[in-house]
Amino acid sequence: MDVVEFRPEPSQYAYTFGGVAPIREVEPGSVLRLWCDDAFGGTIRSTSDLASANLRMGFLNPQTGPFSVRGAEPGDTLVLHLVDLTPARDWGASTLVPFFGGLTGTDRTALLNDPLAERTWIYEVDRARQTVTFVAARSDLTIDLPLAPMLGTVGVAPALGEVRSSLTPDAFGGNMDTPEMRAGATCYLPVNTPGAIFSVGDGHYRQGEGESCGTAVEGAMDVTLIVDLVKASQATAPLWPRIENDDEIVVVGSSRPLEDAWRIGQVEMITWLTELLGLDRLDAYQLLTQTSLAPLANVVDTNYSAVTKVSKTLVPGLRPLDGLHADLRARATSLT
């Protein structure tokens, strides 16, 4: 496997999906070893650093990339297997951003209330114990929480030549903020433009489902992933991001209102079940109803994201693309 190592300079970050020329072309089957900055671009480093003084709208969620994949054409499926996600700093940060978050007035949910008081929390990383430490701002409480690294943003250039902010999740992937995007997961994305033009970023050292306050434990990340490509002649590309891990198949739907994000994930999972099991559409609907889990990914971004999951144990025969995920897991063993 070809190995590509890339650590971007600050001037090389992308802040959109689409509208940015690829920084490098890679071959299907390549391994990428990347460095990704945190959502704040490293500007929040202490509890005295507040969002309003340090963050610049339009320059959040810096993306490493984009990369062009040789031979990728619209109708193909881009495959990204996350081999390893390792915190690149010994601390992560979370902060309250004025008029942003799930439990405050926002630009979309306009209220007369003042914004919540700004506050920043710094989480120290203990690599030996594999923990991050919550330290309460107004009491002596501290709690060690398990490290659970994930990527908030994984996406391709959108269809129809659109350019979308790196804060946005949609059918192209983007800022989905789902903890399912962790090491060992394989992500399947539709190719909308020649080369696919994908990027990744927004490392989280851990995040609860929903990302309630709007920020996870945000941290820079060392990322190892394998890039692959499934041609349109081999399989129909998904309409929405799909994820596979050893135990489950997963779909992420993004929209507003939240129930429409949920509906997207449910319908795309029904489509996937009909493909994998040869089921009638309504039989797949019935099976989904009795087996699926539907955790929230985010309820804070420009679109909300809802996850639909089905267990491989409950439903035998869930083997997308003739076992490509298992093949990628085997390839990844030579890299760790």
Side-chain angles (χ1 to χ4, degrees):
M1 292 183 285
D2 293 335
V3 178
V4 175
E5 299 192 7
F6 181 67
R7 183 185 178 106
E9 298 294 331
S11 62
Q12 293 176 306
Y13 285 122
Y15 293 93
T16 62
F17 292 94
V20 180
I23 203 150
R24 187 168 299 184
E25 185 179 66
V26 298
E27 296 281 352
S30 296
V31 177
L32 272 59
R33 298 190 187 274
L34 310 173
W35 189 89
C36 299
D37 209 343
D38 64 44
F40 310 131
T43 61
I44 304 293
R45 308 178 70 88
S46 74
T47 56
S48 63
D49 293 330
L50 301 181
S52 62
N54 288 275
L55 302 185
R56 291 193 299 159
M57 293 299 107
F59 295 93
L60 300 175
N61 279 0
Q63 297 297 292
T64 297
F67 299 94
S68 174
V69 180
R70 184 183 294 274
E73 296 291 341
D76 296 345
T77 301
L78 178 68
V79 182
L80 300 176
H81 179 71
L82 302 182
V83 177
D84 184 69
L85 302 176
T86 299
R89 294 190 180 117
D90 291 329
W91 51 270
S94 190
T95 188
L96 297 183
V97 179
F99 296 117
F100 181 70
L103 298 177
T104 182
T106 71
D107 62 332
R108 303 289 187 93
T109 304
L111 302 174
L112 291 176
N113 305 62
D114 291 332
L116 296 177
E118 289 193 72
R119 192 172 295 174
T120 296
W121 292 262
I122 298 298
Y123 289 75
E124 297 298 328
V125 175
D126 188 317
R127 296 179 186 276
R129 293 189 299 151
Q130 289 292 288
T131 60
V132 289
T133 302
F134 166 76
V135 179
R138 296 295 185 267
S139 75
D140 295 330
L141 179 67
T142 65
I143 301 176
D144 291 332
L145 301 171
L147 269 173
M150 53 165 280
L151 291 180
T153 54
V154 176
V156 296
L160 304 176
E162 286 190 348
V163 177
R164 305 291 294 277
S165 163
S166 56
L167 294 175
T168 300
D170 211 305
F172 58 86
N175 192 33
M176 297 175 284
D177 284 325
T178 172
E180 302 297 335
M181 204 70 72
R182 59 185 184 270
T186 302
C187 180
Y188 307 109
L189 293 167
V191 175
N192 302 308
T193 191
I197 318 300
F198 78 91
S199 60
V200 301
D202 189 22
H204 295 178
Y205 293 171
R206 70 168 293 116
Q207 178 209 298
E209 291 172 344
E211 198 181 21
S212 298
C213 83
T215 60
V217 181
E218 311 283 345
M221 198 78 74
D222 290 314
V223 177
T224 302
L225 60 85
I226 300 173
V227 180
D228 214 331
L229 184 67
V230 177
K231 299 298 292 181
S233 59
Q234 299 171 283
T236 301
L239 294 178
W240 288 84
R242 296 176 177 179
I243 303 170
E244 183 181 2
N245 58 48
D246 293 347
D247 302 316
E248 296 162 319
I249 61 171
V250 180
V251 173
V252 185
S254 299
S255 188
R256 288 203 187 197
L258 181 57
E259 57 263 35
D260 280 351
W262 172 82
R263 289 181 179 117
I264 288 167
Q266 295 276 301
V267 170
E268 182 74 358
M269 182 60 80
I270 287 169
T271 299
W272 207 0
L273 291 174
T274 65
E275 293 171 0
L276 294 174
L277 302 176
L279 286 176
D280 169 83
R281 189 173 177 83
L282 296 187
D283 280 337
Y285 185 17
Q286 174 60 209
L287 181 62
L288 171 88
T289 301
Q290 312 310 337
T291 60
S292 66
L293 298 176
L296 301 177
N298 92 81
V299 293
V300 296
D301 293 332
T302 51
N303 283 328
Y304 299 149
S305 298
V307 168
T308 296
K309 307 196 294 185
V310 173
S311 166
K312 293 178 179 178
T313 300
L314 287 177
V315 183
L318 301 181
R319 193 169 179 268
L321 299 171
D322 295 323
L324 179 56
H325 168 74
D327 176 63
L328 289 163
R329 290 283 276 164
R331 288 188 240 172
T333 59
S334 67
L335 303 172
T336 57

